[in-house]
Amino acid sequence: MALVPCQVLRAAILLSYCSILCNYKAIDMPAHQTYGGSWKFLTFIDLVIQAVFFGICVLTDLSSLLTKGNDSQEQERQLKKLISLRDWMMAVLAFPVGVFVVTMFWSIYIYDRELVYPKLLDNFIPAWLNHGMHTTVLPFVLIEMRTTHHQYPSRSCGLAAVCTFAVGYILWVCWIHHVTGVWVYPLLEHLSPGVKVIFFAAVTVIINIFYLVGEVLNNYIWDTQK
């Protein structure tokens, strides 16, 4: 795909995430007023990750255009730093977290929506916004992977970073329960302490698997093995 269409596409995706975030924050939901606010939900954290990631993509595109034909080594170094940050975010956060949110949400939703997205939320969140938070994330990140080659970090460093994020969020969820006595997700209310440990471990493994899937898919698309 040509450079200019890619730039326009990334800018459009960034604007869509900004719109989704603004509309979501404008909703007057009781959950937003409790401890942790919107930041206790992985969906919201993922939206912020995606918006920041595509913001960096747009900034990288603009910097690339501005430095094109410029012999300044300093600008070249700054551009390489931006590209490295963009690639790291894609590998460690945007792809694995985005794919995890979409697959886990819809898997549990199909089984029993009350465990993850109670019907009560339909009174606050319109269907288009729900899909903006839980559906379009996947095609957007796949489009980015298809249009731009991303340099993945070493597998050990990448997996360590993904594990750190997963464990950090799990600890955050447990802390919220410690403070409020309420689990962020209704699903956790139905699990015994032992099963919760197994569930959290499984979640960590799954998000690491999605990291590996992203690495393999990136290599396959761009044929980096050859």
Side-chain angles (χ1 to χ4, degrees), residues 165-219:
F165 175 85
V167 172
Y169 180 69
I170 290 169
L171 292 176
W172 170 230
V173 168
C174 292
W175 175 255
I176 291 171
H177 176 261
H178 172 74
V179 173
T180 65
V182 178
W183 288 104
V184 174
Y185 303 102
L187 168 66
L188 297 173
E189 300 283 358
H190 302 278
L191 304 179
S192 65
V195 175
K196 280 189 183 74
V197 172
I198 296 173
F199 176 77
F200 288 142
V203 162
T204 304
V205 170
I206 290 170
I207 198 169
N208 275 274
I209 290 173
F210 285 141
Y211 171 86
L212 295 175
V213 169
E215 183 183 45
V216 171
L217 187 59
N218 182 71
N219 289 340

Side-chain angles (χ1 to χ4, degrees), residues 82-102:
L82 265 179
I83 292 173
S84 296
L85 177 60
R86 179 200 67 187
D87 292 350
W88 184 89
M89 277 204 71
M90 176 65 172
V92 172
L93 295 174
F95 186 88
V97 178
V99 175
F100 177 84
V101 166
V102 173

Side-chain angles (χ1 to χ4, degrees), residues 5 8-9 14 16 20-21 26 53 56-57 62 64 70 72 81 86 88 98 109 128 167 183 190 194-195 200-201 220:
V8 173
L9 190 59
L14 173 61
S16 72
I20 291 168
L21 281 168
F53 168 68
I56 292 173
C57 288
L62 289 174
S64 180
N70 195 322
S72 172
K81 287 181 181 178
R86 179 200 67 187
W88 184 89
Y109 185 98
W128 72 266
V167 172
W183 288 104
H190 302 278
V195 175
F200 288 142
Y220 174 77

Side-chain angles (χ1 to χ4, degrees), residues 78-143:
Q78 295 303 321
L79 178 59
K80 286 181 178 179
K81 287 181 181 178
L82 265 179
I83 292 173
S84 296
L85 177 60
R86 179 200 67 187
D87 292 350
W88 184 89
M89 277 204 71
M90 176 65 172
V92 172
L93 295 174
F95 186 88
V97 178
V99 175
F100 177 84
V101 166
V102 173
T103 54
M104 288 295 289
F105 174 83
W106 286 113
S107 296
I108 300 174
Y109 185 98
I110 291 169
Y111 174 73
D112 183 357
R113 67 169 294 177
E114 294 299 318
L115 296 175
V116 66
Y117 193 81
K119 231 175 181 182
L120 175 67
L121 292 178
D122 291 342
N123 299 323
F124 299 96
I125 303 176
W128 72 266
L129 186 55
N130 180 26
H131 285 292
M133 297 188 297
H134 298 117
T135 305
T136 58
V137 173
L138 182 56
F140 283 167
V141 79
L142 288 176
I143 287 171

